[in-house]
Amino acid sequence: MTEVEDLTRDYRAAFLRYLPGRSEAALTLGYELGRRAVVDGVSLLDVVQVHHTVLAEVLVDTPAEDTPALSSAAAAFLVEVLSTFDMAHRLQERPQTPRP
């Protein structure tokens, strides 16, 4: 399996675990997925594609009246996953100060 296939499998499991109770522990799994993606060199675009793939799978079985709550939960989970990418990006943007 490729890193993206592994990420898709693990993202699906973590997202489905997060949805019912939206617990902080389940949200932490999203953060860990993002951290692992950064370490493994998975691109930000691949992570977003994985998110949309998994979300589309879940939407198929979601009643229309539950879609707004699902959308909100999906956004919160994605933000947690992408937080590591944001931190890494900010570190790269920071100007390097010369050492004496």
Side-chain angles (χ1 to χ4, degrees):
M1 275 191 149
T2 68
E3 278 94 1
V4 173
E5 290 169 333
D6 287 343
L7 178 63
T8 303
R9 180 197 61 225
D10 296 343
Y11 197 103
R12 182 180 296 111
F15 186 58
L16 291 174
R17 182 172 175 193
Y18 172 70
L19 284 178
R22 296 181 176 99
S23 72
E24 194 64 35
L27 196 58
T28 299
L29 293 174
Y31 174 82
E32 291 299 323
L33 284 172
R35 190 175 76 58
R36 191 180 83 205
V38 168
V39 169
D40 290 348
V42 177
S43 78
L44 177 64
L45 297 177
D46 284 337
V47 172
V48 172
Q49 183 61 52
V50 165
H51 172 79
H52 284 286
T53 297
V54 171
L55 179 58
E57 293 170 1
V58 173
L59 281 170
V60 168
D61 297 323
T62 301
E65 63 271 10
D66 294 339
T67 301
L70 175 62
S71 177
S72 178
F77 192 79
L78 180 61
V79 164
E80 195 67 26
V81 171
L82 296 182
S83 64
T84 303
F85 283 89
D86 184 59
M87 285 184 265
H89 178 74
R90 288 173 191 257
L91 285 174
Q92 289 175 348
E93 281 185 343
R94 189 184 296 167
Q96 299 297 320
T97 57
R99 296 189 181 246

